[in-house]
């Protein structure tokens, strides 16, 4: 009897998505049940995390088929950590959705699809089979298509067409790469591939395959020339949807890149230069894109791209210190980016617009709320001792010791530009006086809400801010965890041993 | 057979990518369909084509011996077909809605989300 703990998060998500489907018309019930489901999901994720933390990598073989033949689920430290972060973001966003998304949208099975999205994310993190990873990716994208187009507003549909076209194309490239890889190695199990890909004689084809994977996951994680779909679509759906997308969807691409380039392909000099180069260009293009916009949600979308560059470059360095930085940054980024879009949602509820030029005086009107919002904003910048500071320290140290001065410069530039953008946002939206305010009819403003509804808006932000503060002030724990994950990533024999001889 | 399949795969990829790059959203869908079929054929081809050797163990043997057709690529293609069928039907509905709301099928006209608002 093997231990099936690590597939519990999948079962919880699947169960609740099915339960919610049966109450399609009963919105209030769905709201309550989705929050309960995500709370249980968080509990299970914490259990899985502690279980993996204490007992090391866990393996579950689906249908009891032995490892290289059947599909395996592998819960190593990286996967368990990401499952935990998914559950935290999921809980926060489900509370936020229950108030901020209008009922007309919720009537089309919003919460059920939301659970499916979390199911896909957890599956993608936990699977140890590369074709199964593709299937989870498809579950993620099809749920995200529904979430992005639900409601059917004009610019939402337009964003959805762009989002759909590029993500579908990315999946096709991923599938092509998979086909080529299967043709070369004859196996789909990632641990088995790790050994077999090394012994393939046709190295050119292996390199082509690696680059195809890079392009496929690169589109999904929005790295330099492939990011255009992101700022064109992320600001169109409701803030709750953008929050979960921002926090997790691009990061699952980064996760897949880390997995594929640590397990299956070796990072050689060519790939190293390519990844670092792409990382630098991603930082620059995201940062400069953010400068040119005034819509808060659009600025945040570009900042996602900018910070993806940090992780891609760090992956390119592939030293233990750099990977520690990458993993720590991933942990910090998921929480903070989710929070940023929730904040944008609250600002929209207060002012009925997210254009920084048209809003102001937030600090004068809502001083306590503004201070709460300040914490994630400054964590993003990386003001010590908040959470963004520690991973950048590792990344900068690694880039310096590896003599990658361009990447070093890009890191400094990216951090500086983030600081500038957040300072501009702060001075425009929070400190500037309110420019002339045209009250929109039919819009329920924040101050008109009942206290409980206000709490529903603010509680998820408080939850995520608390987690951010913990990541910042309890950095030694997170650093320890990141070092352990980085060791597991660099020493892939542990993973292979766990999967092939359980 | 391999050569023919390789040429067809190449043609499907080329046609699919060309269609995706056209400006009309209807052609985008056609491109997606063609590309999806191209990928399926590629997996089929790379799983090595073996004629008339089904992977069935005869009563006298314990394991398969000699050359036999690999069943995994077919399983993969089946999964991929189902997934791409779902995605394509979603895409058709999405494009129809988008056409009704935006009143254009020219992708170059879809640039309101790039402006600041």
């Amino acid at each position: 009897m093997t231990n099936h703990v690590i597939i519990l998060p999948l079962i919880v998500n699947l169960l609740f998505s099915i339960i919610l489907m049966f109450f399609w018309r009963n919105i209030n019930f769905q709201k309550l049940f989705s929050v309960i489901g995500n709370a249980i999901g968080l509990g299970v994720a914490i259990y899985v995390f502690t279980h993996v933390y204490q007992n090391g990598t866990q393996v579950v073989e689906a249908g009891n088929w032995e490892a290289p033949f059947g599909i395996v689920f592998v819960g190593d430290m990286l996967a368990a950590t990401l499952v935990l972060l998914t559950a935290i973001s999921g809980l926060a966003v489900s509370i936020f959705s229950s108030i901020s998304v209008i009922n007309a949208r919720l009537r089309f099975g919003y919460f059920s699809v939301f659970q499916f999205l979390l199911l896909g994310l957890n599956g993608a993190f936990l699977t140890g089979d590369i074709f199964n990873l593709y299937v989870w990716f498809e579950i993620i994208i099809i749920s995200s298509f529904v979430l992005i187009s639900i409601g059917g507003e004009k610019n939402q549909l337009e964003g959805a067409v762009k989002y759909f076209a590029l993500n579908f194309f990315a999946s096709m490239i991923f599938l092509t790469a998979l086909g080529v890889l299967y043709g070369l190695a004859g196996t789909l199990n990632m641990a088995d591939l790790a050994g077999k890909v090394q012994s393939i004689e046709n190295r050119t084809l292996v390199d082509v395959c690696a680059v195809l994977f890079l392009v496929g996951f690169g589109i999904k994680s929005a790295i330099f020339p492939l990011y255009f779909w992101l700022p064109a679509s992320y600001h169109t759906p409701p803030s709750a949807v953008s929050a979960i997308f921002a926090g997790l969807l691009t990061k699952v691409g980064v996760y897949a890149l880390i997995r594929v380039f640590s397990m299956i392909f070796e990072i050689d000099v060519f790939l190293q230069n390519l990844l670092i180069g792409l990382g630098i260009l991603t930082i620059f293009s995201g940062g400069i894109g953010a400068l040119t916009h005034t819509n808060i949600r659009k600025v945040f979308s570009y900042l996602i791209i900018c910070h993806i560059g940090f992780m891609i470059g760090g992956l390119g360095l592939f030293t233990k210190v750099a990977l520690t930085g990458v993993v720590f940054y991933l942990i910090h980024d998921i929480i903070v980016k989710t929070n940023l879009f929730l904040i944008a949602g609250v600002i929209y509820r207060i002012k009925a617009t997210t254009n920084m030029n048209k809003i102001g005086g937030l600090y004068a009107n809502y001083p306590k709320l503004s201070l709460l919002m300040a914490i994630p904003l400054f964590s993003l910048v990386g003001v010590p001792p908040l959470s963004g500071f520690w991973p950048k320290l590792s990344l900068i140290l690694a880039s310096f010791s590896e003599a990658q001065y361009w990447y070093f410069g890009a890191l400094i530039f990216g951090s500086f530009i983030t600081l500038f953008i957040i300072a501009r946002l702060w001075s425009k939206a929070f400190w500037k006086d309110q420019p002339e305010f045209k009250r929109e009819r039919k819009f329920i403003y924040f101050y008109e809400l009942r206290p409980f509804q206000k709490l529903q808006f603010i509680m998820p932000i408080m939850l995520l801010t608390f987690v951010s503060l913990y990541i910042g002030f309890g950095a030694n724990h997170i650093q320890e965890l990141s070092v352990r994950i980085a060791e597991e990533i660099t020493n892939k024999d542990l993973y292979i041993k766990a999967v092939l001889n359980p | 057979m391999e050569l023919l399949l390789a040429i067809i795969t190449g043609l499907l990829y080329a046609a699919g990518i060309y269609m995706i790059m056209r400006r009309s959203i209807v052609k985008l869908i056609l491109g997606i369909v063609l590309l999806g079929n191209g990928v399926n054929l590629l997996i089929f081809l790379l799983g090595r084509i073996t004629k008339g050797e089904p992977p069935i163990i005869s009563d006298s043997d314990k394991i398969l011996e000699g050359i036999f057709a690999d069943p995994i690529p077919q399983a993969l293609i089946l999964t991929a077909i189902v997934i791409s069928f779902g995605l394509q039907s979603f895409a058709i509905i999405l494009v129809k809605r988008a056409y009704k709301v935006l009143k254009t099928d020219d992708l170059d006209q879809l640039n309101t989300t790039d402006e600041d608002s």
Side-chain angles (χ1 to χ4, degrees):
Chain A
M1 179 72 192
T2 45
N3 203 334
H4 289 117
V5 172
I6 57 162
I7 54 169
L8 281 178
L10 302 179
I11 293 171
V12 170
N13 286 326
L14 186 63
L15 183 73
F16 274 92
S17 54
I18 292 169
I19 291 175
L20 288 170
M21 250 185 226
F22 280 102
F23 298 91
W24 195 262
R25 293 279 159 209
N26 194 344
I27 305 290
N28 287 328
F29 179 85
Q30 284 199 29
K31 282 179 182 173
L32 181 68
F33 236 69
S34 106
V35 174
I36 292 174
N38 280 303
I40 295 174
L42 179 59
V44 169
I46 292 171
Y47 176 60
V48 169
F49 179 78
T50 46
H51 186 82
V52 174
Y53 193 80
Q54 283 160 0
N55 303 330
T57 308
Q58 299 288 310
V59 180
V60 172
E61 290 168 341
N64 231 356
W65 286 91
E66 270 182 33
F69 305 109
I71 293 169
V72 287
F73 288 95
V74 185
D76 61 347
M77 237 21 255
L78 178 61
T81 310
L82 288 170
V83 166
L84 179 62
L85 293 169
T86 307
I88 294 171
S89 307
L91 178 63
V93 174
S94 73
I95 298 172
F96 196 82
S97 314
S98 65
I99 181 71
S100 76
V101 182
I102 54 168
N103 280 359
R105 285 198 168 99
L106 297 181
R107 215 164 282 144
F108 295 97
Y110 174 91
F111 286 115
S112 183
V113 176
F114 184 75
Q115 289 289 338
F116 268 118
L117 180 69
L118 296 183
L119 169 74
L121 288 163
N122 284 335
F125 294 139
L126 286 171
T127 188
D129 182 284
I130 192 117
F131 191 78
N132 204 228
L133 182 67
Y134 166 76
V135 176
W136 291 118
F137 261 101
E138 295 303 298
I139 292 177
I140 294 169
I141 63 170
I142 203 152
S143 328
S144 67
F145 293 156
V146 176
L147 288 179
I148 206 169
S149 55
I150 213 167
E153 278 172 20
K154 188 170 177 245
N155 61 357
Q156 222 185 328
L157 284 173
E158 199 183 311
V161 169
K162 293 171 186 174
Y163 180 79
F164 171 82
L166 271 160
N167 272 287
F168 189 87
F169 189 60
S171 294
M172 285 299 122
I173 292 177
F174 178 19
L175 196 56
T176 308
L178 246 170
V180 176
L181 190 64
Y182 183 75
L184 285 171
T187 177
L188 292 164
N189 184 300
M190 287 203 245
D192 200 22
L193 277 170
K196 286 197 175 142
V197 169
Q198 305 308 321
S199 56
I200 294 170
E201 281 173 20
N202 193 345
R203 296 316 293 178
T204 332
L205 215 49
V206 173
D207 285 344
V208 169
C209 192
V211 174
L212 277 174
F213 272 110
L214 179 62
V215 174
F217 294 137
I219 295 178
K220 284 179 194 293
S221 55
I223 63 175
F224 175 66
L226 312 163
Y227 64 81
F228 296 98
W229 57 271
L230 193 150
S233 61
Y234 267 28
H235 64 291
T236 57
S239 295
V241 176
S242 337
I244 199 80
F245 283 17
L248 292 161
L249 289 202
T250 47
K251 308 313 179 279
V252 78
V254 175
Y255 163 80
L257 281 174
I258 294 175
R259 203 43 118 202
V260 166
F261 285 105
S262 66
M263 289 293 299
I264 302 174
F265 302 106
E266 300 264 290
I267 295 198
D268 52 9
V269 180
F270 168 71
L271 271 175
Q272 183 171 44
N273 288 335
L274 188 66
L275 282 170
I276 292 173
L278 287 175
I280 292 167
L281 288 168
T282 312
I283 294 170
F284 273 86
S285 46
I288 291 166
L291 275 182
T292 59
H293 285 279
T294 53
N295 182 339
I296 295 175
R297 291 214 267 167
K298 212 150 193 178
V299 169
F300 288 162
S301 304
Y302 275 103
L303 284 180
I304 297 174
I305 300 168
C306 177
H307 298 146
I308 291 287
F310 289 9
M311 291 180 256
I312 300 295
L315 175 64
L317 290 174
F318 212 74
T319 60
K320 207 169 272 179
V321 182
L323 285 171
T324 310
V326 171
V327 171
F328 199 142
Y329 205 90
L330 197 61
I331 295 170
H332 144 83
D333 209 46
I334 288 174
I335 299 296
V336 168
K337 288 277 156 46
T338 314
N339 211 351
L340 283 184
F341 276 83
L342 295 184
I343 287 171
V346 172
I347 292 177
Y348 179 72
R349 187 50 55 190
I350 293 172
K351 296 289 179 190
T353 173
T354 47
N355 189 332
M356 325 185 189
N357 290 332
K358 291 186 192 155
I359 55 180
L362 279 171
Y363 187 72
N365 298 332
Y366 298 94
K368 279 181 227 151
L369 189 58
S370 303
L371 283 177
L372 177 66
M373 290 175 179
I375 296 169
L377 289 174
F378 288 99
S379 307
L380 180 75
V381 176
V383 181
L386 294 171
S387 61
F389 170 69
W390 308 105
K392 277 180 195 162
L393 198 63
S394 301
L395 286 173
I396 284 173
L397 275 175
S399 65
F400 214 71
S401 64
E402 291 290 298
Q404 292 286 355
Y405 298 111
W406 280 100
Y407 176 58
F408 175 73
L411 278 171
I412 304 284
F413 173 82
S415 309
F416 177 73
I417 215 157
T418 313
L419 172 68
F420 179 78
I421 287 159
I422 296 300
R424 188 180 63 151
L425 170 71
W426 187 258
S427 66
K428 278 195 171 174
F430 290 84
W431 274 349
K432 181 184 70 181
D433 288 332
Q434 171 69 45
E436 56 178 315
F437 185 63
K438 233 175 37 196
R439 204 176 183 294
E440 299 223 8
R441 275 182 296 166
K442 280 191 185 170
F443 189 86
I444 303 162
Y445 283 90
F446 189 71
Y447 65 85
E448 295 168 331
L449 296 171
R450 289 195 299 276
F452 180 69
Q453 291 175 314
K454 282 186 187 168
L455 188 69
Q456 272 177 298
F457 264 109
I458 295 173
M459 217 166 67
I461 298 183
M462 280 165 68
L463 171 73
L464 291 176
T465 306
F466 178 75
V467 177
S468 276
L469 282 177
Y470 174 73
I471 296 172
F473 286 97
N476 58 334
H477 299 146
I478 309 291
Q479 182 72 13
E480 246 171 57
L481 178 69
S482 310
V483 169
R484 189 170 155 188
I485 294 172
E487 250 161 41
E488 286 188 356
I489 293 173
T490 44
N491 188 4
K492 62 184 175 186
D493 292 338
L494 291 171
Y495 184 99
I496 296 169
K497 217 172 145 194
V499 176
L500 295 181
N501 320 304
Chain B
M1 190 66 185
E2 275 86 353
L3 186 67
L4 183 67
L5 274 177
I7 291 169
I8 293 173
T9 310
L11 276 177
L12 282 173
Y13 265 83
I17 290 171
Y18 176 74
M19 285 297 224
I20 286 175
M21 287 176 179
R22 299 302 299 272
R23 280 164 48 179
S24 154
I25 34 180
V26 181
K27 286 181 182 149
L28 173 73
I29 301 233
L30 290 176
I32 281 167
V33 174
L34 289 176
L35 196 61
N37 288 335
V39 174
N40 291 339
L41 268 187
L42 179 83
I43 297 175
F44 182 60
L45 181 63
L46 287 174
R48 307 288 185 278
I49 296 161
T50 320
K51 261 189 180 166
E53 294 287 340
I56 297 170
I57 307 171
S58 60
D59 288 342
S60 54
D61 292 336
K62 283 227 164 118
I63 50 165
L64 276 171
E65 276 173 12
I67 301 165
F68 60 92
D70 187 356
I72 291 181
Q74 292 159 31
L76 302 186
I77 294 167
L78 196 61
T79 317
I81 287 174
V82 174
I83 290 171
S84 58
F85 172 74
L87 284 173
Q88 284 157 13
S89 36
F90 179 84
I92 292 168
I93 303 290
L94 176 69
V95 163
K96 184 167 168 272
R97 280 295 302 168
Y99 177 71
K100 266 192 176 167
V101 175
L102 302 165
K103 300 195 173 58
T104 174
D105 83 326
D106 185 351
L107 285 169
D108 280 5
Q109 304 291 321
L110 301 186
N111 45 20
T112 53
T113 61
D114 298 331
E115 291 158 8
D116 260 347
S117 57

